[in-house]
Structure formats: structure tokens, C-alpha cells
Amino acid sequence: MRLTRRALLAGIGVMPFGSFGAGASQRSFVDVSSIPALKSLALSRGIDIASAYNGGEPEIERLLAHHCSTITPENDLKTGTLAPDGIEHADPSRMDEIAQFCSGNSLNLHGHTFFWHQSLPGWLDHGDLKSAMSSHARYMDFTTSRYPHIVSWDVVNEPLADDRFGFRNTRLLRQHGPEFLTFLFRHARQAAPNAHLVLNDYGLSCASDYCDRKQSSLLWLIDNLLNTGVPVDAVGIQGHIVPRHPIRQNALSRFLKQIEQFGLSIFVSELDVNDIGLPEDVRRRDQLVADFYRRFLDPVLDNQAVKRVGFWGLSDRSHWIVHGYAPFRRATGTPRPALFDAELNPKPAYFTVADALSHAPYRNPLPTVRS
């Protein structure tokens, strides 16, 4: 039986609220502690719940503390944000605030990211492999020593090409891809010996030649890294869902099983639904967004190698899609990609996700730190 909004609330003795997701005209705030915590539903199935966060918003922090076990700094551990002019000029103050928030609320931290081609200041972007390795080692040593309790790291983010098989066409990856990634993972193990080391990328879940090609590239890369003894612990499937690229559930299930056969954990790392192309009517759009979450999560949660479900923000209030940073944008109407609206009220997507978690098979949970 599907876990409806009314059943979910009645099961914990809470009176149903008004019509969630009914539109921007409803401005009533909901006490975040009065609805079931996603992390509690997930932990009973051996799953960790995470969310991205940029800091500085107390109301969002209350929402995150109630629903999440792990926080991913959305921008503040990226090289171009924390140290655009070099380690000697690094400004970790915003990242320190996020770390303090996590510490004060018993939340784990996930590190994002040691290497991303879109956040690569000049002092790190060397054509010479030896110089690139030296500079990145300094950055990795700085962040891991300052934040030693980070439980997992995206060692490399988005290394695969969109338009062809293999690495994307950036200088370090084009010239030194296998050697450079090998160095990153091996130095990450040295710098953070107990953290789970993750290879993270997008475009891995849709029904198109584009996603098929990226899946093949990822499997090829994993196979090569593991066969040469490179310490990879998990694969991050970002899960940025766009309706124009529908989800082929059977193919997604097969792909996840292929990753599982390598003995790796799977993290859903950046889940949201971009409502571009969906109707302007908010009620209808919210339900369709919830349906996309369900279509993605049903095959994903069925795989017991999936240890974490991470959202790229729980609320529309500060969401990257709402603020226009996503590559796909609605022509009209404010986007509504997240589980909670801008007033932090739960939308149909929240109840859909809660139901999917409640019906997921149990799996052995991810250890807090790698053994």
C-alpha cells in the first residue's frame, strides 16, 4: 500500500495539514518537527539521507537537522570558492560555519569536491602533470586537515564527456586523465584514510543515447581504476532529473547492478527534479514532479548497494534551479524542484519520497567511516 499524506501523518498521531503544494498563495509555516523525518524512515532501511547546503539560513538549518543525517556543502569546499587565489589566501570562514552547524546537530559532512573542472582556479589548472599533482595535493591536505571528520569525499566530480565516450575535453583530463585521477584517489586515501572516496557524475539515469554513452564511460573508468588498484569506494549518481530526458527504469536497474558487481557503494548525490516543460498550474506540476521522484527512486532504492540518497537542496527557497543556475530554465512560473516549498511546507514530492523510503528493502548501512 502506498503511504499517502494522510496515512503518513495519521501513523504518527499528527493532524493532517492543509493542502500541501496548493500554490504560492498558501503562506502558512509548518513546524518541521511535526512531520516524519526522512532520515528516520531511511535509517530504518539502512539508507543515509543527505542534502546540499550553502549556509547562513537558520530556518533551512532546522529543516535539514530534522530530515538529514549528512550535509554536503554546495559550494564552499570547491577550490574556486574556498581558495581562488591559492591556499595561502584561502578563506574557509563560510565552510567553518557549515562545519559548526553539522557538529552542533550531530550531522555528518560529505566533502564536495577535490576536483571539478568548472571550479578550477589558475593556480590548480596546470598542463604539466607534476605541477597539477603538487598543487592539488596541497589543496587536499589543507581541506582534510582542517575538516578531518568529513566521512566521504567526491574525489572527482563530472570527469566524463557529454558528447562522446571517455573523458571530457579539458586540459588536465584530456592530457592526463587516467594518471591524474589515479593520483587524486591515491592521495585522497592518504589524506583522508577513513573517508569513503567517491567518483561523482551526472547524466547516468535517463533513457537516451547521451545517458547510455555516459554509463558506458563510467563503467569503463571504474574498471580501469579498480584493475590498477586505485582506491574507489563509491559511485555518485547525481540524479538531476529533467522531464525531457525520461527515466528508463529497467535500464537504470541494470546499470546500478553493474556498479554493484564491482563491489562499490552507490550514492544518489544531487537529486532534484527540474520542472521545465511541466504545466504552469502548481497543483498539477507538483504532482508531476513527485511522480518523477518516484520513477527514479523505485529502481534506485531496490538496489541494496544504494547507501545514500542526497538531495541538491530540500527546499525551493534557496535552490539552484529556482535561482537560475541550472542549464534548463522554465519560460514562465517559478520553478518548484524540491520536496519543500519556499515557505518550507512539504509538497507532494516529500510524501512520495517518504513512501518510497518506507517501502525500500533493508540493506546494511554505510559505516560512518570506512573500515
Side-chain angles (χ1 to χ4, degrees):
M1 182 183 74
R2 293 293 191 202
L3 191 60
T4 64
R5 181 191 67 181
R6 187 173 297 275
L8 183 64
L9 295 172
I12 59 165
V14 177
M15 291 297 291
F17 305 124
S19 299
F20 294 131
S25 61
Q26 287 194 292
R27 297 290 181 180
S28 59
F29 289 80
V30 172
D31 177 2
V32 296
S33 65
S34 63
I35 58 174
L38 293 176
K39 66 181 179 184
S40 297
L41 299 172
L43 288 173
S44 70
R45 317 315 301 154
I47 300 168
D48 178 49
I49 293 293
S51 176
Y53 179 50
N54 266 327
E57 298 185 85
E59 287 185 337
I60 296 289
E61 290 181 353
R62 287 193 288 273
L63 185 76
L64 294 172
H66 182 60
H67 287 288
C68 297
S69 302
T70 300
I71 297 299
T72 302
E74 188 168 349
N75 291 307
D76 289 301
L77 275 175
K78 293 172 180 172
T79 52
T81 301
L82 194 150
D85 301 314
I87 289 297
E88 63 275 14
H89 303 295
D91 180 6
S93 56
R94 286 182 47 171
M95 183 58 224
D96 287 351
E97 291 178 4
I98 294 175
Q100 290 167 7
F101 157 65
C102 290
S103 176
N105 290 275
S106 300
L107 299 171
N108 291 324
L109 261 173
H110 170 71
H112 178 79
T113 172
F114 285 138
F115 175 79
W116 184 40
H117 68 282
Q118 289 192 34
S119 186
L120 197 62
W123 70 277
L124 286 168
D125 190 14
H126 302 284
D128 173 67
L129 178 60
K130 185 176 180 180
S131 297
M133 290 166 59
S134 176
S135 297
H136 278 82
R138 290 176 62 209
Y139 185 78
M140 297 163 80
D141 292 344
F142 174 81
T143 51
T144 55
S145 62
R146 191 173 187 90
Y147 309 109
H149 302 302
I150 287 180
V151 299
S152 52
W153 275 97
D154 290 331
V155 177
V156 59
N157 186 47
E158 303 175 2
L160 301 174
D162 295 335
D163 57 351
R164 68 186 186 284
F165 182 87
F167 291 112
R168 63 173 60 251
N169 190 28
T170 56
R171 182 164 55 182
L172 275 170
L173 294 173
R174 180 181 67 248
Q175 296 178 356
H176 309 293
E179 298 90 346
F180 184 57
L181 264 62
T182 293
F183 156 75
L184 287 175
F185 276 96
R186 287 182 172 163
H187 193 81
R189 177 66 85 227
Q190 177 182 330
N194 296 317
H196 302 275
L197 305 183
V198 187
L199 171 61
N200 193 53
D201 217 318
Y202 65 89
L204 297 166
S205 58
C206 69
S208 71
D209 292 342
Y210 154 74
C211 289
D212 290 343
R213 185 167 52 244
K214 292 204 77 166
Q215 288 182 1
S216 296
S217 293
L218 180 67
L219 294 171
W220 160 81
L221 179 55
I222 293 169
D223 188 55
N224 277 269
L225 292 172
L226 294 180
N227 280 337
T228 54
V230 177
V232 182
D233 298 313
V235 171
I237 308 295
Q238 289 189 9
H240 294 296
I241 299 169
V242 182
R244 66 179 64 173
H245 298 300
I247 298 161
R248 190 170 56 201
Q249 291 179 305
N250 290 339
L252 178 55
S253 292
R254 287 194 298 271
F255 173 60
L256 296 176
K257 287 177 182 176
Q258 288 175 293
I259 297 174
E260 182 183 18
Q261 288 169 1
F262 284 111
L264 300 178
S265 298
I266 301 170
F267 297 169
V268 176
S269 54
E270 304 182 20
L271 183 57
D272 52 31
V273 176
N274 190 324
D275 59 6
I276 184 173
L278 299 185
E280 190 152 350
D281 177 77
V282 169
R283 286 181 182 271
R284 177 63 178 150
R285 186 165 19 127
D286 281 355
Q287 187 55 57
L288 289 171
V289 166
D291 293 344
F292 275 103
Y293 275 107
R294 186 90 210 198
R295 187 163 182 80
F296 176 81
L297 285 174
D298 277 348
V300 166
L301 294 179
D302 191 53
N303 188 298
Q304 295 182 27
V306 174
K307 307 291 188 178
R308 176 182 293 163
V309 175
F311 300 89
W312 212 236
L314 284 188
S315 166
D316 294 338
R317 179 179 296 186
S318 301
H319 204 280
W320 74 302
I321 293 175
V322 176
H323 289 280
Y325 297 116
F328 306 107
R329 304 180 185 180
R330 289 186 61 84
T332 59
T334 301
R336 295 174 62 84
L339 307 189
F340 296 82
D341 66 18
E343 285 72 47
L344 311 188
N345 292 313
K347 300 179 342 193
Y350 159 80
F351 296 99
T352 294
V353 170
D355 179 63
L357 291 169
S358 298
H359 288 85
Y362 180 79
R363 75 282 326 270
N364 292 324
L366 188 75
T368 302
V369 294
R370 191 187 64 87
S371 60

